[in-house]
Amino acid sequence: MSSPTMRELLRGLEVFAGELPGFDPGAAPDDPVELFTDWLLRAVRAGVPEPHAMTLSTADGDGEPSARVLILKDVSPHGWQFASHSGSRKGLDLAQRPSAALTFYWPAQARQVRVRGRVATASPADSAADFLARGASARAEALLGRQSRPLTDLPAREDAVKESLAAIDRDPGLVAPGWTLYSLRAEQAEFWQGDRDRNHTRLNYRRVDGTWRKELLWP
């Protein structure tokens, strides 16, 4: 018997396994931050691995897109927060085009949230506080300021990180120049609840004249 093609293999993989939560869009709150917080906390209580992981999508000055997975730092009426070095690819993109999109996916619950909007930088004090709240290894890596640059070999990285850790030991309050806390202020937020029979429910929030409007979308 011949081996399945990649297409056949992918089509045969199970999706939406297990018991899925319900979603009544008619009972959804008027503010998407409230609904997002509810969904996130439910994912945490359900034991979803890394429920705060998200895909951040940006574009450079020429409109070329780039996406990567990173961690949500906070969410409030002021926006969705994440952090990075301003000299990283994402930092350079945001300096040229201060807009981005976030995508959250919790497969065990067949739930997806898509958020897009303008991105603003936090104050230097808030950015420094975020940096100092990171673990020592994460701070040591960030202090190097070499993200996405070519690496000659792994030992070179290990040596550089050791030197960086030693610098942190000497000065625990050391903050990486350019470390920035970003906040995405949503202009649109979509909540997607999957269904085994493909009767997916999509609720979209749009900010119009400073207020949120809700609408259902076709799957």
Side-chain angles (χ1 to χ4, degrees):
M1 181 179 295
S2 60
S3 300
T5 65
M6 180 58 70
R7 178 178 175 80
E8 291 170 337
L9 174 64
L10 295 176
R11 288 182 62 86
L13 295 176
E14 185 178 11
V15 294
F16 306 145
E19 184 177 353
L20 303 181
F23 175 42
D24 178 9
D30 293 331
D31 192 317
V33 171
E34 185 178 343
L35 181 55
F36 176 84
T37 301
D38 177 64
W39 278 26
L40 177 61
L41 293 178
R42 287 176 183 269
V44 171
R45 290 194 292 268
V48 174
E50 300 179 355
H52 54 337
M54 62 185 185
T55 299
L56 167 68
S57 301
T58 58
D60 64 16
D62 295 324
E64 293 295 325
S66 182
R68 74 289 287 166
V69 177
L70 68 166
I71 297 299
L72 176 70
K73 293 299 188 77
D74 194 11
V75 61
S76 73
H78 301 294
W80 281 253
Q81 288 191 332
F82 58 94
S84 181
H85 197 285
S86 62
S88 67
R89 171 66 182 272
K90 64 184 83 66
L92 295 174
D93 282 357
L94 291 170
Q96 298 176 81
R97 291 174 178 256
S99 295
L102 307 176
T103 306
F104 297 83
Y105 181 50
W106 303 306
Q109 297 173 315
R111 282 181 165 176
Q112 179 180 183
V113 180
R114 300 166 59 208
V115 185
R116 66 179 182 86
R118 300 282 292 180
V119 177
T121 57
S123 68
D126 287 343
S127 295
D130 175 84
F131 183 83
L132 294 174
R134 294 164 62 86
S137 296
R139 279 181 284 149
E141 190 75 54
L143 278 169
L144 298 175
R146 303 176 189 176
Q147 189 179 63
S148 300
R149 296 181 185 177
L151 173 65
T152 55
D153 53 50
L154 293 180
R157 175 183 180 273
E158 293 172 0
D159 291 341
V161 170
K162 286 180 181 178
E163 293 179 7
S164 191
L165 283 169
I168 291 174
D169 285 339
R170 293 191 298 270
D171 182 3
L174 196 60
V175 175
W179 187 258
T180 306
L181 183 64
Y182 296 94
S183 183
L184 185 150
R185 183 178 185 272
E187 295 297 330
Q188 182 175 348
E190 180 192 328
F191 294 79
W192 183 93
Q193 174 65 66
D195 179 82
R196 288 190 188 85
D197 297 323
R198 301 305 190 267
N199 294 319
H200 310 314
T201 301
R202 297 175 63 187
L203 177 65
N204 189 51
Y205 288 78
R206 290 186 300 116
R207 194 189 295 273
V208 180
D209 297 329
T211 61
W212 287 108
R213 293 185 183 178
K214 293 184 292 183
E215 60 187 358
L216 291 174
L217 301 177
W218 281 87

